[in-house]
Amino acid sequence: MTVKLSSLFEHPNCLLSRRNRHQFLVTLLVNIATFSHGLGVGWMSPVMRDLQTDQSPLDFPVLVEQVSWIGSLVGIGSVMGNLLAGTLMDRIGRKLVLFGIAIPYMTFWCLIYFVQSVEFLYVGRLMAGMTGGACYVVLPTFISEIADTNVRGRLGSIILLSVNMGVLVGYIVSSSVDYFASPPFIIALPVCYFICNFLFPETPHHLIRKGKFEAARESFRFYKSIKKDDIKAESEFEHLKFHLTKDESANSKALSYKDFVTRPALKAIGSASVLLICNQFSASFCITTYLSDVFAASHTTLNLSMCTIVIGVLQIVGNYVTTLLCDKYGRRILMLTSTSGAAVCLLAFGFFTYYAKDNNLSVVGWLPLAILSIYVFMCNIGMVGCLFVVVVELFPAKIRSVSVSTFVVILSSTVFLTLKIFPICMAVWGISVTMWCSSGITFSCFLYFCFFLEETKGKSLLEAVVEFCGSRMLVKLFNRPNCLLNRRNRYQLLTTLLINLISISHGIGIGWLSPTLRKLQLDSSVGFQITSEFEISWVGSMLGMGSVTGNILVGTLLSRLGSKRSLLLIAIPHSCLWILVYFAKSVEYLYAGRLLAGICGGGMYIVHPIFLSEIADANIRGTFSAMVMLSVNVGILLGYIMGTHLSYFTIPWIVLVLPIAYFVSVLLFIKESPMHLIRSGKYSEAERSFRYYKNIKDTDNINDQHRAMEDFDNMKAVLTKGDQLKDAITFKDFCTRPALKAYGPALVLLIANQFSGLFSMVNYMSDIFAQSHSTMDPNTCTIIIGAVQILGTYVTTLLCDICGRKLLMLVSTAGVAISLTGFGFFTQYAREHDVSEYSWVPLLLMSMDIFLGNIGLVGCFFVSLVEIFPVKIRAKAASMAIVICSCFVFVMLNILPICMKQWGISATMWSCAGVAAFSFAYFSVFLKETKGKSMLDD
């Protein structure tokens, strides 16, 4: 027996073999974090059900809609954790990020213990999500860097095994221990985790990249458990060192969209997308989060707490089976088994609950537990347990960094979306239809995996190490010229983020109006009411009138005051908006406030694109310009949420912080653009500004400085030459062939942007949903649309400088036309038929419309508008175009509610769809690609 055990431990695939034991031990230690995260997830499931009953441990009520926010905020926190951990991993190392994971988790339990209102639970779940999101970024990278190929799959699958063990313990603790007794004991886990992190070194890969070769050698020996005199191991280390340090210059080449459309890349993107859909829309994580509610709706006769604990045990068993099988039989067979089994179980669960509504099935009341047990087991042996292992191995090396980081962020965003809509779907559709929909999605994924999913078992990650394991998820791109965090681009990015504080604040003002208008129509607790369609249309449309004013004012002053002073100027009317909102005594105050908000927005849409185009490099200019609308959409979502959940008089004082912070930031940290300073003859200041925005230091290599300053000299030569012609701009300059060819696409772009209804619908979104015959809460639908807007513009920031502007415009206009046509047909049909079972359709179609609209018509609007005109007339032509756009804003905001009243919502949507369809046809023929175009060229 002793001999058999000894031979087993010596087997290279045994986790307890001498070679693997330190890798296994460290994997267990770092997964204390994932265990703790799972504990928090599992603990909340029974608690969220208790919070809605008379047995609530808290002394304040928690509503169903608030419960959905408590559940879903973990998704937003996860996105934040993804981005934060991904950004910091390469800069400060994996270990320091691992240390930092403990902080938000401890904050979560402190907020749980000292809870005074539902907002404490919101923030706590956000913190818990940050821990989970950071874990899912840093742990796969950390483990892949310390693990040998033959055990990498098993060690990687321990991540979700630990999460599920924590979920089980959370179920048990929540069901057995008093609410306020749990946090003081559970907080010991992150403390122990923090201490354990002192016991092992940084990964050898990270140390090699930092040039700490001796420390890397010691780390390599530790993780491989080898002695100093091991010649074979020394050769292995040198081989690793060679692969990690070679061809850095070749790897720093900028990515092209062509890299994403190769056959291997497209297959990988397709498989990864289906993996994401399968993981989230199979409802596996939603059922775990809302497990007590699912069992309560299933008509089971068993004890709910016992059912929850049994499911937790099955999760662990499923993940443990994954650790045993994934390196033996491969990933593909587990995925096929998992998806087919889960689809069958969800179908069966749906049928049981459907028949249990009208029939007494108490004799087989154990069946829901049996079906869900099999379902959870099936999910965890493949589409949950193997998720991160497959994602790391799936993509080609060159695009792995961008693709995996994008996948993780979208996954976390999808977690938020599914957790938000799952309880709503159960309430509106019923549990049976919800399960059947998830079953259909899961079976579709099974069919896809049958034909397209490739086996990645045993795939070497040494090449992947060069691209991904060095934190290629976000940060290895630092060496690429089109990376926003590249050394040359960092101050440009910082400046963009700071000036977009006002974009977020402007977006809040737009989004806030939609739920607030409905409140002002229904009650007069504010002190006045809005009672007529006339007043509603004017409150909405005054933004457009103000926008025209802001366009003209800032457009006139920009060349005289410069970008910095113009940026400072637009903070003033926006601050006045919120002061008027707070002191409003009648609807006229809102007219004036919306006028001032428009002045701010109109000025912002003039100065932001021009300023960013003057400080940004050509290869990232599109991304920076797209951030303007991304920031506006973030603000719109915040406005929806605040307008729905906060009192009228609370919001102004919260939002006023943003324009004040923006004003201080611009005053202290933003420099005037070098182009404006050159035009003003301030050449020494212009050079200092150029060096600042390009991050050129006196300590840099002298050759690098000379190459960078050649761009400045070229800029200076072109602009000073242009100044001699500045006063000579005549009517003829607007009638040249390049100018005339630009007017058509620019005009159609303006028409498509506004008359497709994308912006005006955002302002009246709650009213649109109220008229759509959907039984879902209009304000909840509006908030979901706000999240979709952000996702759409975020996709634009990723793709704008890779795929180009024209492709995004074509996809956008076609998608808007199809979505709005479908929305119109649904609302027309719903006028004469009962569509309560399909009340989710308006939300789906409007989400498609807003998402597809934002990836092109909205996200690329300003960057395309600035780039489309010849250099000589660019500033004047772009300013005039934005003035016309603001006029269109005023017209569309004014007529949309009138059109919906006079024509009906169906005809209004079809009209907007027709505009989008015409724009698609025009752009297909006449719109030119402007990606990479120099701002000094026609």
Side-chain angles (χ1 to χ4, degrees):
M1 184 67 178
T2 305
V3 174
K4 288 184 178 179
L5 282 176
S6 177
S7 61
L8 177 64
F9 286 167
E10 291 172 1
H11 194 281
N13 290 335
C14 176
L15 294 180
L16 294 176
S17 69
R18 183 170 181 266
R19 167 90 175 188
N20 301 331
R21 62 185 60 162
H22 282 177
Q23 302 170 28
F24 181 47
L25 173 63
V26 172
T27 300
L28 293 179
L29 291 179
V30 297
N31 274 295
I32 295 175
T34 52
F35 175 82
S36 302
H37 173 63
L39 195 155
V41 171
W43 183 85
M44 283 299 295
S45 180
V47 166
M48 281 192 290
R49 178 166 178 77
D50 291 342
L51 294 178
Q52 304 170 66
T53 67
D54 295 334
Q55 287 75 40
S56 173
L58 307 180
D59 55 2
F60 55 87
V62 179
L63 306 177
V64 174
E65 187 178 343
Q66 292 173 328
V67 167
S68 74
W69 275 106
I70 294 171
S72 61
L73 275 169
V74 73
I76 293 180
S78 189
V79 175
M80 295 167 62
N82 296 152
L83 296 173
L84 193 61
T87 303
L88 294 177
M89 270 199 304
D90 241 17
R91 301 192 72 177
I92 65 175
R94 287 84 169 111
K95 273 203 66 175
L96 288 178
V97 174
L98 288 171
F99 277 123
I101 285 173
I103 298 172
Y105 190 71
M106 287 188 284
T107 306
F108 163 62
W109 286 109
C110 290
L111 288 168
I112 290 296
Y113 185 76
F114 293 105
V115 60
Q116 299 295 323
S117 66
V118 72
E119 285 75 18
F120 280 64
L121 300 179
Y122 290 163
V123 177
R125 284 286 281 179
L126 193 72
M127 293 292 104
M130 286 184 65
T131 292
C135 284
Y136 294 143
V137 169
V138 69
L139 260 66
T141 302
F142 179 84
I143 292 171
S144 67
E145 290 184 352
I146 68 169
D148 287 343
T149 302
N150 58 317
V151 296
R152 187 179 66 234
R154 279 176 287 167
L155 294 181
S157 64
I158 288 176
I159 295 172
L160 285 166
L161 175 62
S162 302
V163 171
N164 287 334
M165 290 177 67
V167 169
L168 172 61
V169 174
Y171 290 155
I172 297 171
V173 170
S174 183
S175 303
S176 309
V177 182
D178 179 72
Y179 176 97
F180 290 101
S182 304
F185 292 97
I186 296 174
I187 206 168
L189 276 172
V191 174
C192 292
Y193 162 79
F194 189 87
I195 295 171
C196 289
N197 271 266
F198 286 100
L199 303 179
F200 52 85
E202 180 61 84
T203 68
H205 301 69
H206 178 73
L207 293 170
I208 288 173
R209 287 193 176 86
K210 293 298 183 183
K212 301 176 181 179
F213 300 125
E214 193 55 41
R217 183 177 282 105
E218 293 297 323
S219 172
F220 183 83
R221 289 171 181 160
F222 171 82
Y223 287 115
K224 310 303 180 185
S225 192
I226 53 182
K227 299 178 181 178
K228 290 186 177 181
D229 56 354
D230 191 326
I231 298 175
K232 182 180 178 182
E234 184 67 23
S235 173
E236 189 179 346
F237 173 77
E238 292 298 330
H239 182 67
L240 174 67
K241 178 180 172 183
F242 170 76
H243 277 277
L244 289 174
T245 54
K246 74 170 185 176
D247 299 332
E248 286 294 328
S249 59
N251 291 330
S252 65
K253 285 186 178 180
L255 285 175
S256 165
Y257 78 92
K258 293 180 180 179
D259 298 320
F260 291 84
V261 293
T262 62
R263 183 179 178 83
L266 290 174
K267 290 182 70 175
I269 291 169
S271 297
S273 301
V274 177
L275 272 172
L276 186 151
I277 293 169
C278 183
N279 181 268
Q280 285 304 309
F281 291 94
S282 65
S284 58
F285 190 68
C286 294
I287 289 176
T288 301
T289 304
Y290 300 110
L291 196 52
S292 295
D293 290 323
V294 171
F295 273 121
S298 69
H299 305 280
T300 183
T301 57
L302 300 177
N303 177 268
L304 298 184
S305 298
M306 184 272 291
C307 292
T308 303
I309 292 170
V310 171
I311 292 299
V313 173
L314 265 297
Q315 281 185 302
I316 296 172
V317 174
N319 272 130
Y320 181 67
V321 169
T322 306
T323 65
L324 295 176
L325 301 182
C326 92
D327 279 325
K328 187 173 184 179
Y329 295 107
R331 287 58 158 155
R332 187 171 183 268
I333 186 65
L334 293 181
M335 283 291 181
L336 293 175
T337 304
S338 178
T339 48
S340 59
V344 172
C345 291
L346 288 171
L347 186 67
F349 193 86
F351 277 119
F352 179 90
T353 53
Y354 181 78
Y355 285 109
K357 287 190 299 184
D358 302 318
N359 302 279
N360 183 10
L361 300 180
S362 57
V363 177
V364 287
W366 50 269
L367 201 52
L369 175 60
I371 295 172
L372 275 190
S373 296
I374 300 172
Y375 164 75
V376 167
F377 176 80
M378 287 295 178
C379 284
N380 279 275
I381 65 171
M383 56 187 178
V384 173
C386 289
L387 176 68
F388 291 106
V389 177
V390 176
V391 167
V392 169
E393 297 170 339
L394 198 59
F395 290 100
K398 189 171 184 181
I399 66 166
R400 183 173 288 119
S401 53
V402 175
S403 302
V404 175
S405 61
T406 303
F407 174 89
V408 174
V409 172
I410 295 176
L411 176 65
S412 297
S413 304
T414 312
V415 168
F416 165 74
L417 180 63
T418 54
L419 287 177
K420 182 65 182 165
I421 66 174
F422 185 78
I424 299 172
C425 291
M426 286 207 302
V428 176
W429 303 346
I431 191 169
S432 303
V433 176
T434 303
M435 294 302 170
W436 288 334
C437 290
S438 297
S439 175
I441 292 171
T442 308
F443 185 71
S444 300
C445 296
F446 164 76
L447 294 177
Y448 184 94
F449 292 153
C450 284
F451 295 102
F452 299 109
L453 184 66
E454 294 183 353
E455 181 56 72
T456 58
K457 170 192 165 188
K459 181 178 179 180
S460 172
L461 279 189
L462 191 54
E463 182 187 6
V465 163
V466 177
E467 289 291 329
F468 170 71
C469 290
S471 188
R472 289 304 195 274
M473 296 181 70
L474 286 176
V475 187
K476 181 59 182 177
L477 291 175
F478 283 5
N479 292 328
R480 298 183 184 277
N482 63 340
C483 171
L484 300 186
L485 294 173
N486 178 286
R487 182 177 180 274
R488 177 172 170 110
N489 304 332
R490 289 174 193 170
Y491 287 121
Q492 301 172 33
L493 174 61
L494 175 63
T495 300
T496 304
L497 295 177
L498 290 178
I499 67 172
N500 275 308
L501 287 174
I502 199 67
S503 304
I504 295 173
S505 189
H506 177 64
I508 291 174
I510 296 171
W512 162 86
L513 181 69
S514 183
T516 302
L517 269 181
R518 285 188 60 77
K519 289 180 181 179
L520 293 176
Q521 294 173 67
L522 297 174
D523 65 76
S524 58
S525 59
V526 173
F528 63 93
Q529 270 188 292
I530 296 178
T531 56
S532 69
E533 295 294 329
F534 175 81
E535 290 178 335
I536 292 172
S537 67
W538 274 102
V539 170
S541 62
M542 287 300 287
L543 184 78
M545 186 177 293
S547 188
V548 174
T549 306
N551 295 152
I552 297 171
L553 180 64
V554 175
T556 303
L557 297 175
L558 183 60
S559 59
R560 301 176 184 179
L561 298 180
S563 299
K564 181 171 180 175
R565 291 176 182 173
S566 299
L567 288 168
L568 290 170
L569 179 66
I570 61 177
I572 299 172
H574 189 74
S575 302
C576 295
L577 155 69
W578 294 109
I579 294 171
L580 284 170
V581 166
Y582 183 80
F583 291 105
K585 301 297 183 185
S586 65
V587 71
E588 286 75 16
Y589 281 70
L590 294 186
Y591 292 164
R594 288 282 286 179
L595 182 72
L596 291 171
I599 292 173
C600 169
M604 182 185 78
Y605 294 140
I606 288 282
V607 69
H608 275 44
I610 293 175
F611 177 68
L612 291 175
S613 69
E614 291 183 351
I615 68 166
D617 288 349
N619 57 320
I620 56 171
R621 187 176 63 238
T623 301
F624 282 153
S625 297
M627 282 185 184
V628 176
M629 290 311 303
L630 175 61
S631 302
V632 171
N633 286 339
V634 168
I636 289 172
L637 174 59
L638 292 174
Y640 288 156
I641 296 170
M642 295 169 76
T644 302
H645 296 288
L646 297 180
S647 71
Y648 177 92
F649 293 104
T650 302
I651 297 170
W653 297 115
I654 296 175
V655 184
L656 263 175
V657 173
L658 283 172
I660 293 171
Y662 161 81
F663 188 89
V664 173
S665 299
V666 172
L667 189 64
L668 299 181
F669 302 112
I670 306 299
K671 295 183 181 296
E672 184 57 82
S673 78
M675 288 190 179
H676 175 76
L677 292 169
I678 290 172
R679 293 190 190 100
S680 302
K682 301 175 181 178
Y683 301 126
S684 59
E685 289 184 40
E687 182 176 341
R688 287 196 294 271
S689 173
F690 182 87
R691 294 174 73 93
Y692 170 78
Y693 285 118
K694 309 303 180 184
N695 200 12
I696 303 168
K697 308 290 186 184
D698 293 334
T699 55
D700 291 348
N701 181 282
I702 190 67
N703 292 327
D704 292 340
Q705 289 191 55
H706 282 316
R707 280 194 296 270
M709 293 311 295
E710 284 177 3
D711 294 338
F712 175 77
D713 294 334
N714 182 47
M715 178 193 297
K716 182 178 175 181
V718 172
L719 291 176
T720 51
K721 178 182 177 182
D723 275 353
Q724 296 171 6
L725 302 173
K726 181 177 178 181
D727 295 331
I729 294 178
T730 64
F731 179 75
K732 292 182 179 179
D733 296 319
F734 290 87
C735 299
T736 62
R737 183 179 178 83
L740 292 173
K741 290 178 69 175
Y743 295 149
L747 180 60
V748 175
L749 185 61
L750 294 174
I751 293 171
N753 180 267
Q754 286 306 312
F755 290 97
S756 63
L758 287 167
F759 181 73
S760 50
M761 288 178 193
V762 167
N763 285 265
Y764 301 112
M765 192 62 71
S766 292
D767 287 325
I768 290 171
F769 277 117
Q771 297 180 41
S772 68
H773 303 279
S774 172
T775 57
M776 300 179 72
D777 177 55
N779 289 335
T780 300
C781 293
T782 301
I783 291 170
I784 293 172
I785 291 297
V788 171
Q789 275 189 300
I790 295 173
L791 185 59
T793 42
Y794 177 70
V795 170
T796 307
T797 65
L798 293 177
L799 300 181
C800 185
D801 285 316
I802 295 176
C803 299
R805 287 58 157 157
K806 182 173 181 177
L807 178 61
L808 293 182
M809 284 292 181
L810 293 175
V811 172
S812 182
T813 48
V816 168
I818 294 169
S819 303
L820 290 180
T821 301
F823 195 95
F825 278 119
F826 179 89
T827 52
Q828 180 71 16
Y829 181 81
R831 293 172 59 187
E832 300 175 358
H833 301 82
D834 180 15
V835 293
S836 57
E837 292 186 10
Y838 306 99
S839 60
W840 51 272
V841 172
L843 175 60
L844 175 64
L845 291 172
M846 190 55 68
S847 296
M848 290 174 56
D849 170 56
I850 295 299
F851 175 79
L852 293 170
N854 274 272
I855 67 172
L857 283 175
V858 175
C860 290
F861 175 72
F862 288 108
V863 61
S864 296
L865 199 61
V866 169
E867 293 172 342
I868 207 167
F869 292 110
V871 63
K872 189 172 184 181
I873 66 168
R874 180 173 293 135
K876 293 185 181 296
S879 297
M880 287 188 287
I882 294 174
V883 170
I884 295 171
C885 181
S886 297
C887 295
F888 288 169
V889 168
F890 170 74
V891 171
M892 196 62 186
L893 287 174
N894 210 328
I895 67 172
L896 184 70
I898 298 172
C899 290
M900 288 196 295
K901 181 80 171 177
Q902 299 296 323
W903 301 352
I905 192 169
S906 302
T908 303
M909 294 300 162
W910 289 332
S911 300
C912 294
V915 172
F918 164 76
S919 304
F920 170 79
Y922 185 92
F923 290 154
S924 299
V925 180
F926 298 107
L927 184 66
K928 288 187 176 181
E929 181 57 72
T930 57
K931 182 184 84 167
K933 179 180 179 180
S934 170
M935 294 305 290
L936 300 175
D937 297 334
D938 288 340

